[in-house]
Amino acid sequence: MKRIVIAVLALTTYSCLSAQTKETSQELSKAAKKGMLVDAVFADDGNIKLTYKMKVDKKSDQIAYEDYVFDKSLGYVGIQPTKENKKTNPDKKMTSVSAFVGGSNSFNVLSMNLTLQQQVWEVNWNYDRQTYQFGKRLSKETVKPKNNDSKYKGFASYDNDDDGSVLVLASYDKGKDDDDQFVYLHISNDLNLKETKVPLNGNYSLVYCGKLQSGNVFAVFAPNKGAADTKKYTITEFTIKGELVSSNEFNAPSPNTLIMDYTEVNGDLFFVAGSDKSNDAYSEVFTSYAPIDNPGYSTGANKQMDKYEKKVMGHEFDNFHLLRISKGQLLLATTTPVKDFKKKVLTPPSQKKSHPYEGKKMVVQNIVITPAGDYLVAGQLNDKKITNKGSSYSYQYYDYVCLHFDKNGTLKAQYAVEKEFDDSKSESYPGAQSFVLSADGSTAYWELMEIKVVKFYESIADAYNGSASYAPHYFPRIAKINLSASTVGDFTGLGEKGKFLVYRYHTSLTDEKTNTRYYIGHDDDYEKIWLGKFSFE
């Protein structure tokens, strides 16, 4: 499952917190309404400068901009027009390889057999954005590696846009009575294949995998039934070219510890997981994770991933686990009975009802560690919606929760917050969450970036021609959490409950000297620019 993320602001520490808000909006010029916001900065004089690029005339040697300037009290200063010389570069072609599981006909559509496709793309110079972008696909064909005809089963793939190669986590049968061998396959764009074995001794299932901020990839494996110790999980790290970085064993809280989601903070991996009350091995309760596409299967996923989802989505766990791994070493592993979460539910004072975490799969959107060592796990409840009479499905995202643990991993509270918009379009996308913490660790502000689906222009040309697509947009809601007392206050919303929405790629600016965050947005028609100010004092 692809995780949809917006630019979440980094953790910021302030010494004293109290909220002050202010908002303003300004009509854009006729030219700017058909342009696009391309930059948002604090100018040298301290003012806020928001730069719009006008539609680019291919015949002109220059690009026109308009800077909309506001002071830090949100007073409108005016428009400052500028121009710069246009850059031009020749178009190019790029060859890339993609990995899929299964084929596109009735005979092998549900197969786990790995299929490779080689594609040739136009890479065009975009005059609007003054950068290269992919154009139309010139060719696509199913291919085999030059130096290996083995039958692999694919589990996960990672495209490398820098050189058009692909890294695949796969497996193959070692023999009729032997275990499967997990491998990483690096396939270059000219179809040379390099195989590297994953160092596992015995029969394992893939529990979870993902990509690190460094560009490397990680995978977690669980030993299958019959192993000497079914709690002895293994985590591996490989480079995007399939080179082994590390392989380490760790003791999982349960033999069937299923990782629901993860996040990376300062190089450490945090896993949110669940398990049942049995001592059955992972493979006896669940099945292998396999997030690789199958273009011929109606759900858009391969047979193995569909099997995995049916096992996991809606499964009610008996225990909840929080794990922290640093450089392959387990630093924290907690077990909280799910029944304890029901006793710790807290809501904002004005909220009459709640939908708290009760033991099913959830999506993690942020984890922070407070100065006192507490853990705040911000997540969103989600499920799988079956459509087309059961032939396909989509993911749905519901209310927000924040799970609050002390430094030892003991649950202190869970804060449950309802969404503002619960229509089907808005539920099709996850929100985003972040925190602003006090220096003494006693208080925190919880920022929700709420979802509203509205029209969106991919380029200046689209904006000029009125060619809009629809995409999730965000507006902020902020509440204060008293970490010492384990209470949450009411939320303050900016943007008039979705009337104004923050820009997708320029959400906000933060002035750390005055402890103030400035949200940058627009109305539904992109005819006004909007600024929202939230001060932490």
Side-chain angles (χ1 to χ4, degrees):
M1 182 180 71
K2 292 183 178 179
R3 300 174 53 163
I4 306 171
V5 193
I6 65 170
V8 179
L9 291 163
L11 175 66
T12 309
T13 302
Y14 299 137
S15 58
C16 182
L17 299 172
S18 63
Q20 292 181 339
T21 62
K22 188 175 182 181
E23 301 182 39
T24 189
S25 61
Q26 176 64 37
E27 187 88 11
L28 295 173
S29 70
K30 184 176 180 180
K33 289 176 183 177
K34 294 186 176 182
M36 179 176 287
L37 180 71
V38 294
D39 199 13
V41 297
F42 290 119
D44 292 340
D45 59 7
N47 287 334
I48 301 165
K49 184 171 69 174
L50 310 174
T51 302
Y52 280 79
K53 182 191 287 185
M54 307 300 107
K55 184 178 184 296
V56 178
D57 184 354
K58 291 186 178 182
K59 296 180 180 180
S60 172
D61 293 329
Q62 291 187 316
I63 302 170
Y65 297 88
E66 286 183 355
D67 293 335
Y68 285 75
V69 182
F70 297 81
D71 63 32
K72 289 188 175 179
S73 297
L74 301 192
Y76 180 54
V77 176
I79 299 175
Q80 298 174 355
T82 58
K83 290 185 178 181
E84 70 175 15
N85 292 332
K86 187 196 310 180
K87 297 178 183 178
T88 58
N89 286 292
D91 293 342
K92 302 184 293 185
K93 292 181 181 179
M94 180 176 180
T95 301
S96 65
V97 180
S98 297
F100 302 94
V101 170
S104 57
N105 59 61
S106 59
F107 296 101
N108 63 357
V109 68
L110 298 183
S111 170
M112 280 287 287
N113 290 342
L114 181 65
T115 299
L116 299 176
Q117 289 183 352
Q118 189 179 57
Q119 304 176 23
V120 179
W121 293 84
E122 284 184 345
V123 182
N124 302 321
W125 181 254
N126 187 312
Y127 286 93
D128 294 346
R129 296 184 177 178
Q130 290 287 280
T131 187
Y132 278 107
Q133 67 177 25
F134 283 97
K136 66 180 180 179
R137 184 171 57 198
L138 300 176
S139 65
K140 179 182 74 171
E141 61 177 328
T142 300
V143 293
K144 289 185 178 181
K146 292 178 180 178
N147 53 334
N148 199 310
D149 290 326
S150 299
K151 288 279 188 177
Y152 292 105
K153 294 186 292 184
F155 286 86
S157 67
Y158 306 93
D159 294 333
N160 187 348
D161 291 337
D162 290 338
D163 61 10
S165 65
V166 64
L167 181 68
V168 182
L169 177 55
S171 74
Y172 63 85
D173 293 331
K174 288 193 275 187
K176 185 176 180 180
D177 299 321
D178 293 328
D179 306 328
D180 284 351
Q181 174 67 59
F182 278 96
V183 295
Y184 274 103
L185 309 174
H186 179 260
I187 303 114
S188 63
N189 64 2
D190 60 356
L191 301 180
N192 282 305
L193 182 148
K194 175 189 172 185
E195 176 191 294
T196 305
K197 291 181 174 63
V198 177
L200 298 170
N201 185 19
N203 196 6
Y204 285 76
S205 295
L206 176 62
V207 178
Y208 207 84
C209 58
K211 197 167 186 178
L212 301 171
Q213 293 169 1
S214 66
N216 291 348
V217 298
F218 74 89
V220 178
F221 300 90
N224 291 346
K225 182 180 178 180
D229 186 353
T230 51
K231 286 186 179 180
K232 192 71 74 174
Y233 279 40
T234 297
I235 182 167
T236 64
E237 181 179 345
F238 281 75
T239 69
I240 196 65
K241 293 187 177 181
E243 301 156 330
L244 176 65
V245 176
S246 64
S247 178
N248 295 280
E249 290 185 334
F250 66 92
N251 291 316
S254 163
N256 55 78
T257 301
L258 180 135
I259 296 172
M260 292 183 260
D261 210 340
Y262 81 100
T263 193
E264 184 179 356
V265 181
N266 297 327
D268 288 0
L269 281 174
F270 293 83
F271 296 119
V272 167
S275 67
D276 69 18
K277 58 187 176 183
S278 75
N279 283 317
D280 295 335
Y282 176 90
S283 59
E284 299 296 296
V285 181
F286 303 108
T287 189
S288 282
Y289 182 71
I292 193 171
D293 288 337
N294 180 339
Y297 191 32
S298 60
T299 62
N302 65 73
K303 180 183 179 181
Q304 182 64 31
M305 194 61 180
D306 186 55
K307 183 179 178 182
Y308 171 87
E309 293 288 0
K310 287 178 178 177
K311 289 267 190 178
V312 175
M313 300 301 286
H315 187 97
E316 295 190 4
F317 299 107
D318 294 296
N319 296 303
F320 177 95
H321 308 290
L322 176 63
L323 289 79
R324 181 181 181 181
I325 293 179
S326 179
K327 298 180 180 178
Q329 303 302 310
L330 183 67
L331 300 185
L332 176 76
T334 70
T335 298
T336 304
V338 167
K339 62 182 180 181
D340 289 358
F341 283 93
K342 300 175 183 179
K343 304 173 186 177
K344 300 281 189 175
V345 180
L346 295 170
T347 63
S350 63
Q351 186 174 302
K352 296 180 180 180
K353 59 181 181 178
S354 67
H355 296 91
Y357 175 72
E358 295 181 336
K360 294 184 180 180
K361 186 179 184 296
M362 65 179 285
V363 174
V364 179
Q365 290 163 338
N366 208 339
I367 295 177
V368 300
I369 305 171
T370 74
D374 287 5
Y375 294 88
L376 296 176
V377 180
Q380 194 168 4
L381 308 181
N382 81 314
D383 207 343
K384 190 167 68 172
K385 181 180 179 181
I386 306 299
T387 56
N388 297 329
K389 297 181 180 181
S391 64
S392 60
Y393 62 82
S394 61
Y395 295 102
Q396 300 294 112
Y397 302 87
Y398 305 118
D399 292 342
Y400 300 96
V401 294
C402 174
L403 310 180
H404 182 189
F405 300 88
D406 68 16
K407 63 182 180 180
N408 298 315
T410 302
L411 180 67
K412 296 178 69 174
Q414 74 154 313
Y415 312 112
V417 183
E418 291 184 305
K419 290 182 66 177
E420 288 282 2
F421 294 99
D422 57 4
D423 59 282
S424 59
K425 286 184 179 179
S426 297
E427 287 182 345
S428 297
Y429 299 93
Q433 305 181 56
S434 63
F435 298 93
V436 177
L437 306 177
S438 63
D440 61 5
S442 63
T443 56
Y445 274 97
W446 182 12
E447 179 196 66
L448 301 181
M449 298 299 277
E450 281 275 16
I451 295 289
K452 184 180 180 183
V453 176
V454 297
K455 65 184 179 182
F456 170 67
Y457 299 105
E458 289 286 352
S459 67
I460 293 175
D462 287 343
Y464 187 82
N465 297 320
S467 300
S469 54
Y470 283 83
H473 286 62
Y474 307 88
F475 64 94
R477 295 171 64 204
I478 305 168
K480 183 178 180 179
I481 297 174
N482 185 319
L483 299 174
S484 301
S486 300
T487 59
V488 61
D490 282 323
F491 277 80
T492 298
L494 287 86
E496 299 182 32
K497 197 178 178 180
K499 179 180 178 181
F500 295 100
L501 303 161
V502 298
Y503 275 96
R504 285 168 58 81
Y505 303 117
H506 301 278
T507 59
S508 61
L509 296 169
T510 300
D511 183 348
E512 296 187 7
K513 291 182 179 179
T514 60
N515 305 339
T516 302
R517 189 165 292 175
Y518 296 89
Y519 296 94
I520 304 159
H522 56 86
D523 60 350
D524 281 357
D525 296 323
Y526 291 85
E527 293 185 349
K528 292 182 179 180
I529 193 167
W530 167 86
L531 285 177
K533 174 182 175 181
F534 195 99
S535 297
F536 308 91
E537 296 180 349

